[in-house]
Amino acid sequence: MLFAVCALLFRSQNVFSIAVDTTLRAPLQTIFFTTIGLGATLSLLRAGGWQLPFFLLIASLMAVVQKAVGILAAVAMGAPAALGVICGSLTLTGGPATGLAFTGAFEQLGLGGAGALIIASATFGIFAASIVGNPVATWLIRRRRLVVPRDGEGDHHLGRATDYEVDRQAIERSPEQVGSSLETILKTLCLILVVMGAGAIISLGLAQGVLTLPNYIGAMVVAAAVRNLDDKFGWLRIDMRAVQIIGSASLALFLVIAL
């Protein structure tokens, strides 16, 4: 927001105009979804039990409702029905990354500047979810006592204790441990890049099919296969902490460039 306000002021006062290079947007997006794929394990699916398919059912039904309401609202306002899809589940369920993957398809349908519409809808969805969803979720978590305080911490530390613990542990590491961590992150990044390359080949094959899928789907599929094979045979010994660090960094940079 600070960057956007400064850019607006400079442009409105005819000081200068800022153009953002979005070249890294797509690679960062793929890196993030590759890290998501590396977290998809069969053991995690089994641990989910009956709640996992139940949650999938609710999410799928909600996506259909979002799409239907979006289309009906767009038609009622005299806007293209495709705009209702953008303002529906594409961005509200999919988010900015998934939405941007379909930019070309919507521009072919005649929606000029579809990328800006997608980002606007996704940003509104994030804002609304933060204003409504976060307080409700926090209230439910506290009411049902789903969080057990650690080391005498109260529930006012909800959502912050984990990050604090990570930072504290990082500060207390010796130089040798830090060097080992950097080496682990570098190895993990190299693995992610290899998976992305293999996934790109799969995505090219999927692009020839009937379904329109985001380009990062291939990387997610390969990443999930690599993770489950590694869990079974232990060839790569993937460090999920390093995966999470790389995924968080790539997502943050992607959102900054996209927004």
Side-chain angles (χ1 to χ4, degrees):
M1 288 300 297
L2 180 61
F3 172 80
V5 171
C6 292
L8 176 62
L9 291 176
F10 290 141
R11 182 173 181 177
S12 62
Q13 299 299 320
N14 295 321
V15 178
F16 56 79
S17 181
I18 300 175
V20 180
D21 186 349
T22 60
T23 304
L24 290 176
R25 186 177 70 184
L28 289 170
Q29 172 184 274
T30 306
I31 290 175
F32 168 69
F33 280 102
T34 301
T35 62
I36 295 297
L38 289 173
T41 65
L42 294 177
S43 59
L44 185 62
L45 292 176
R46 288 193 294 267
W50 66 269
Q51 294 174 326
L52 190 62
F54 181 65
F55 175 77
L56 176 62
L57 175 63
I58 293 176
S60 300
L61 292 175
M62 183 58 67
V64 174
V65 170
Q66 288 175 342
K67 189 178 275 84
V69 171
I71 293 175
L72 292 175
V75 173
M77 298 172 65
L83 180 60
V85 177
I86 289 179
C87 296
S89 61
L90 179 71
T91 53
L92 300 185
T93 296
T98 300
L100 286 173
F102 291 88
T103 300
F106 282 99
E107 288 181 343
Q108 291 178 1
L109 293 175
L111 283 179
L117 298 173
I118 289 171
I119 286 297
S121 178
T123 304
F124 173 79
I126 294 171
F127 176 78
S130 299
I131 295 297
V132 178
N134 287 353
V136 172
T138 302
W139 176 75
L140 288 173
I141 290 171
R142 289 174 173 170
R143 182 183 180 186
R144 297 180 180 275
R145 302 183 182 278
L146 300 178
V147 172
V148 180
R150 297 184 306 171
D151 300 330
E153 293 176 337
D155 60 3
H156 61 281
H157 290 287
L158 182 64
R160 187 184 64 81
T162 301
D163 293 337
Y164 172 79
E165 186 69 17
V166 169
D167 293 340
R168 185 181 64 79
Q169 292 175 357
I171 293 173
E172 294 177 352
R173 288 196 188 113
S174 66
E176 292 79 9
Q177 291 175 313
V178 172
S180 176
S181 299
L182 293 176
E183 182 180 358
T184 301
I185 291 176
L186 180 58
K187 289 181 178 179
T188 305
L189 179 59
C190 290
L191 171 64
I192 289 173
L193 294 175
V194 171
V195 170
M196 288 171 59
I201 298 175
I202 293 180
S203 293
L204 287 176
L206 294 175
Q208 308 301 320
V210 178
L211 296 177
T212 301
L213 297 172
N215 292 330
Y216 56 75
I217 291 297
M220 287 186 68
V221 172
V222 175
V226 169
R227 171 62 194 277
N228 284 279
L229 287 173
D230 187 59
D231 285 351
K232 184 175 181 61
F233 300 105
W235 294 332
L236 302 173
R237 297 182 180 178
I238 299 173
D239 189 311
M240 287 310 298
R241 179 181 174 84
V243 171
Q244 291 171 358
I245 291 174
I246 295 172
S248 298
S250 61
L251 176 62
L253 293 172
F254 163 77
L255 289 176
V256 168
I257 295 174
L259 297 177

